[in-house]
Amino acid sequence: MFWIVDPCVSELAGDARQLSPSAQEAIRLRAVAALVAGRTRQDVAAVFQVSLKAVDNWWAKWLSGGREALVAQPRGRRVGEHQVLDAAEQQAVRQAVLDHRPCDLGLAGQLWTRAGVGDLIAKLYRVRLTEPGVGKYLRRWGLSFQRPDKRAVEQDAEAVRLWREETWPTIRAKAKAEGGEVLFADQVGIRSDQVTGRTWGAKGCTPVVRRTGNRFSVNAMSAISTKGRMHFMVFTETFDADVMCRFLERLAGHLDHKVHLVLDGHSAHRSPTVRAWLAAHPDRIELHFLPPYSPELNPDELVNADLKRSQPMHSRARDQAQLAAETRRFFHRRQRQPHIVRGYFGGPHVRYTLE
């Protein structure tokens, strides 16, 4: 009787210590299968190029635990085993990073880095970790390195809460009862020398974007609704009460129902000229003002960000007229993309408008 060896086995033969765990597992299982089939210990050891002791150990494991005793087991320490910081200490550091700035805890800076977190750990527990070691803890805690949002220190948290929970629901209910529509509005400026975005280039050699050296700018005001509608006006003069009234005139002319316009507390929005216009058109437009220093509550701020991010990447304007035309093309393009306009309301800080 001849014993035909699987070709895969010959590939696994050799010094088993140099093989992968899965390959070692395959040798053990095939060796035991050969013993079950009636082969002698010596034959199996010779074919698989292992010692008799190894064959005996595999056979003993097979008899005591079956196939499960021969499969590969995870190597090394289990996740979380023998860590420098225990669970309570890790939770304390994680919460400190989430709730405080470094300067709040007697450290340097306002943003957390791996070195900063390492300094905090050293300050609290007299343990100094390497930056890669700190990075492993941060990832294990579910944290990632991000660009933070900015908030004005003058912002009133209670005013923001009242806006979300009381003022906004009241405005929405009033507009619905009147058969009107709520729009969020804001103004933005675009400069010819603004460069944003990234491009590919050779390492160590910063790419150059060639554009006009003349400096000019245009301004725009837009208003958007949760239904995906957008209204805008591009202008070159400074934004003031007269420009605001012109925008209100255009907005009222485009709609056949009352508009509840939500915007920030810019001085032009509250000027006597604008108040007089509103008093003369009480059934056309009503203004509502966001809490002070709270631009993140306005979905139209995301329109501005979208404009400033996409416009410089495609701009070839050589003068103010061309820049104004490119800005109008951006808004016309977005007017034909209501799904993108609706998407502005899905941002984490403005999602309250949909709830």
Side-chain angles (χ1 to χ4, degrees), residues 143-289:
L143 307 184
S144 61
F145 199 56
Q146 306 174 33
R147 176 177 295 177
D149 283 337
K150 293 177 288 187
R151 293 288 181 275
V153 295
E154 297 85 356
Q155 186 184 74
D156 185 346
E158 178 62 16
V160 172
R161 186 192 67 79
L162 289 174
W163 169 264
R164 288 174 173 270
E165 298 178 6
E166 299 180 17
T167 307
W168 163 245
T170 301
I171 295 171
R172 182 172 53 185
K174 184 177 181 181
K176 183 177 181 180
E178 295 176 347
E181 182 178 11
V182 179
L183 297 175
F184 286 81
D186 195 31
Q187 62 275 358
V188 63
I190 299 296
R191 293 174 28 154
S192 61
D193 58 350
Q194 180 178 344
V195 178
T196 59
R198 295 171 180 264
T199 188
W200 290 98
K203 288 184 177 181
C205 183
T206 303
V208 175
V209 176
R210 298 190 65 83
R211 57 197 313 140
T212 179
N214 298 323
R215 294 185 179 181
F216 46 85
S217 64
V218 299
N219 300 310
M221 187 163 188
S222 62
I224 58 174
S225 75
T226 56
K227 298 178 181 179
R229 285 195 279 267
M230 171 182 280
H231 308 270
F232 75 92
M233 182 178 74
V234 177
F235 52 96
T236 57
E237 63 265 50
T238 301
F239 180 73
D240 57 16
D242 292 334
V243 174
M244 179 64 184
C245 288
R246 196 162 80 241
F247 179 76
L248 295 177
E249 288 279 3
R250 290 166 60 103
L251 193 59
H254 290 161
L255 300 171
D256 59 359
H257 50 259
K258 184 174 180 178
V259 173
H260 290 262
L261 193 63
V262 180
L263 28 65
D264 60 32
H266 192 287
S267 58
H269 302 160
R270 299 176 178 271
S271 67
T273 303
V274 171
R275 289 202 301 268
W277 189 97
L278 294 171
H281 305 81
D283 58 338
R284 304 300 295 146
I285 296 180
E286 182 176 343
L287 299 190
H288 306 276
F289 298 106

Side-chain angles (χ1 to χ4, degrees), residues 100-144:
H100 302 281
R101 299 171 300 170
C103 57
D104 297 333
L105 303 176
L107 302 173
Q110 296 194 53
L111 303 177
W112 287 109
T113 62
R114 293 184 301 175
V117 177
D119 291 340
L120 175 63
I121 293 173
K123 182 177 181 179
L124 293 177
Y125 304 114
R126 306 296 181 186
V127 175
R128 176 60 66 178
L129 301 179
T130 64
E131 288 194 14
V134 173
K136 290 181 180 179
Y137 274 113
L138 293 171
R139 289 189 293 273
R140 191 177 297 127
W141 299 339
L143 307 184
S144 61

Side-chain angles (χ1 to χ4, degrees), residues 259-324:
V259 173
H260 290 262
L261 193 63
V262 180
L263 28 65
D264 60 32
H266 192 287
S267 58
H269 302 160
R270 299 176 178 271
S271 67
T273 303
V274 171
R275 289 202 301 268
W277 189 97
L278 294 171
H281 305 81
D283 58 338
R284 304 300 295 146
I285 296 180
E286 182 176 343
L287 299 190
H288 306 276
F289 298 106
L290 291 162
Y293 303 101
S294 303
E296 73 278 3
L297 299 177
N298 190 348
D300 203 57
E301 290 282 353
L302 298 179
V303 178
N304 300 342
D306 187 12
L307 171 63
K308 290 186 175 183
R309 181 173 56 251
S310 63
Q311 189 79 345
M313 296 178 64
H314 305 96
S315 178
R316 301 179 64 182
R318 303 294 296 272
D319 54 40
Q320 190 179 56
Q322 291 181 2
L323 183 59

Side-chain angles (χ1 to χ4, degrees), residues 324-336:
E326 291 180 350
T327 303
R328 290 190 184 93
R329 280 196 292 272
F330 167 84
F331 283 111
H332 283 307
R333 186 164 60 251
R334 289 293 179 262
Q335 284 181 324
R336 297 190 298 269

